[in-house]
Amino acid sequence: EIKKTSVRPMWSARWGHALVVLNQAVARSYLTEEENSARAKNDRPVLVLLGGDDGLFGDSNNNTQDMGIGSGKLRNDVWIGELAHGSQTSWRVDDKYFNGGNNTFNPGLIRSEMRWFLSNPGRIAPQSWPSESGRTTPLYYDEWIACQDSMKDDLIDPTICDDPPTYCFRDILLPGCQPQAIWKEDNMWSPRRGHGAVVANNKIFLIGGRAREQNRIDETRLVGGIDGHKRFETMKDHSTIREDLVLKNDIWISEDGSGSSWTLVNPGCRDPQEEVLMQSEVWSRDLSEPSLPKIVGTLGSKCYRTSDCYGISECRGLGNTHEKVCVCPMFSPREHHSVAVQHRFKINDDSSVFAEDVIYVVGGFINVKHAFCSNRSCGPSDGYRLAIDDAWMSSDGRNWFQFKPAFSLLFVGR
């Protein structure tokens, strides 16, 4: 059941959000008319709006402040929209569609009949560890979600993620209580925009985007200062941090029908997919065979074994390289990609039916480290924006198959 917790009529004006339809019964050709009718009667379709950016610019007269425009940020809230009782349409148009006799459009006369409820106000990691933990450094987002099943095996001691005693949920500072195990039930995707979302196999899948994770900017990147100020290094134990927006390709699912609780099924990668590396991060080639790369990737992507890489990245040797690099076996981190779902089925010889939903991810914007000038990067720290033209598919969000490689020119990046 959807919890109606909103104290405002609906979500703030925003962009870069995702929108899906949940609980919508679509007729299946392998079902009888009666079976399809029964499915339709039992379903209650709703719209689910997820996250986005409401940090929009107001107009010169500040007439938009009442709508929250100009004072916002990246969001990870979840809103549920449903039709008013007995309504068959989501919009009502008054008779006076135009203003007076000048034929100008009057938007105030088109009104939505849909009601919106805040299902999840969004959750973020605490800025610091509990005082009793003895840690004085800021808490990073990846540390907050470290006990997700898809990540905990990378911990030095995965037993800290064992189910905590019930009293720990009342007071996290009690002896024997592990913070990350307690935080697990509150974990969700970080505030973001440009993400994709679909409903597949009765679950909401949220995929990638540009996210705010409250992660500290490394002090080595403060060379020359920021905004004209002298170079400085932040205190290691201070909770105030300068932070990046990062591209993601993580995948979260919600199965509760309201987007209240979330599970990380795929942490994604920090490194690009192989053809992106080979196209944009080859810094030296073999003199005897110029088609073979000799130096690939960044210093941070070097590895000896797969366990040296973040998430599901794999440690591989590419071309004629002497050093291995981390390579993402799925699509690179990105934003504004297109996502879609196809329902597939097979009727077996015994008349039983195997059916599943297949998720597609196509294109979007990635970052590539392709151009440098002098002895430092000329652009942002994470690279240069590039519209990509690849296409991927998956039935579970964990394992991905690429059926159109990037830079293949069948269609341009978008």
Side-chain angles (χ1 to χ4, degrees), residues 13 56-70:
L56 307 173
F57 294 103
D59 61 26
S60 58
N61 296 320
N62 291 322
N63 292 329
T64 55
Q65 291 300 316
D66 290 341
M67 298 191 304
I69 296 178

Side-chain angles (χ1 to χ4, degrees), residues 320-370:
N320 198 30
T321 56
H322 299 295
E323 298 177 314
K324 293 182 179 180
V325 294
C326 297
V327 180
C328 189
M330 59 185 287
F331 51 88
S332 297
R334 62 189 60 199
E335 64 180 329
H336 299 303
H337 42 288
S338 294
V339 293
V341 171
Q342 179 187 34
H343 183 75
R344 292 184 170 187
F345 70 92
K346 175 186 177 183
I347 300 178
N348 300 314
D349 294 338
D350 60 359
S351 297
S352 62
V353 177
F354 170 78
E356 67 176 358
D357 290 334
V358 178
I359 305 168
Y360 295 88
V361 172
V362 180
F365 288 103
I366 66 171
N367 284 337
V368 295
K369 296 178 175 64
H370 187 63

